[in-house]
Amino acid sequence: MRHIPHLVVRFDRQVGVLTDAQRSHLLRVLRVEEGSPVSYTDGAGVIGEGRFEFGVVVRGDEIRVERPVPHVTLAVAPPRSTDRVRFLVEKVVELGVDEVVWIRTEYGQGRVPSRAKLEAWTHGAVEQSRRGYVPVVGAAFAKISDLSGDWPTVVADQTGDAPVSGETASRLTVLVGPEGGWGPADGVDDYPTLRFSQAVLRTETAAIAALAVLRSGPA
């Protein structure tokens, strides 16, 4: 069976507008022909089946999909390597993260990539995993103290409690620390810890493990 591409598109009425990179990938890499079927999402929960014609997507039959539960925000100290940041973003988006927030920590040495790179990685991962929602991925640092909300915040730690199936909150923020560990000034000691693996994991692996565990239940 021939592969049917899945695309994140912005619609102008019945026409889905594609980026130059999307058109180039369709034509030069996937060798998609005029009139070929494609699937698409508007990034806000609508998934449809249309056709690729004259460099755009013609709208077709559509359905709305629900977001998975719990709503997960990953608050992560970015790794030092840009390649590792990209790997983190792509994999947690494929697994269905709702939001990624980059946190500045005492011992963290990573940087936040440009908004253009983050958007390209995020959209590519949504298209790869054929999801219906584009998550929010921050393009600047935030402080842990700014993450307070009306939902639980936990620290990913191998010494914490294991998540209990069916008892997870409907919304959850998971803090993932830097390679050098948490510093006294980070202020995470008052948060409960949750164990997603018994091993000591790299930052990006810990973020992926947390999403895999939290998304292992019914979608």
Side-chain angles (χ1 to χ4, degrees):
M1 181 180 295
R2 186 171 181 177
H3 172 70
I4 297 178
H6 186 65
L7 304 164
V8 177
V9 299
R10 176 179 59 82
F11 274 99
D12 182 2
R13 297 183 182 180
Q14 294 302 109
V15 175
V17 180
L18 301 177
T19 65
D20 292 340
Q22 286 175 314
R23 281 192 294 270
S24 177
H25 185 71
L26 288 172
L27 294 170
R28 298 181 182 180
V29 179
L30 300 181
R31 301 185 185 280
V32 173
E33 299 176 350
E34 287 286 335
S36 295
V38 296
S39 68
Y40 60 81
T41 178
D42 65 352
V46 171
I47 290 181
E49 296 180 354
R51 293 195 173 276
F52 177 65
E53 295 181 0
F54 303 106
V56 299
V57 172
V58 178
R59 207 164 195 158
D61 295 334
E62 297 178 340
I63 60 171
R64 175 167 289 278
V65 295
E66 297 299 324
R67 283 188 182 273
V69 177
H71 180 289
V72 180
T73 296
L74 277 179
V76 186
R80 285 179 292 179
S81 165
T82 300
D83 288 341
R84 290 170 60 192
V85 176
R86 176 176 182 171
F87 183 78
L88 186 160
V89 170
E90 290 178 338
K91 299 314 164 190
V92 299
V93 171
E94 288 175 19
L95 286 166
V97 73
D98 294 285
E99 183 176 9
V100 178
V101 177
W102 305 111
I103 50 175
R104 192 185 299 279
T105 60
E106 187 173 357
Y107 300 144
Q109 299 181 26
R111 298 180 179 180
V112 178
S114 69
R115 186 179 299 276
K117 285 184 178 179
L118 290 168
E119 182 176 297
W121 301 341
T122 300
H123 284 202
V126 170
E127 292 174 347
Q128 167 65 36
S129 54
R130 309 186 80 84
R131 291 194 171 274
Y133 289 91
V134 174
V136 176
V137 179
F141 277 113
K143 296 179 181 179
I144 295 176
S145 58
D146 294 335
L147 300 178
S148 59
D150 296 329
W151 53 88
T153 297
V154 299
V155 177
D157 192 282
Q158 79 276 13
T159 64
D161 297 325
V164 179
S165 177
E167 294 187 11
T168 305
S170 61
R171 182 162 185 164
L172 187 68
T173 296
V174 180
L175 298 172
V176 180
E179 298 159 85
W182 298 108
D186 292 331
V188 301
D189 291 343
D190 293 334
Y191 291 107
T193 57
L194 207 58
R195 183 178 74 242
F196 299 101
S197 170
Q198 294 182 339
V200 179
L201 305 177
R202 288 178 180 265
T203 298
E204 63 273 26
T205 312
I208 294 166
L211 254 294
V213 171
L214 293 170
R215 290 290 183 254
S216 63

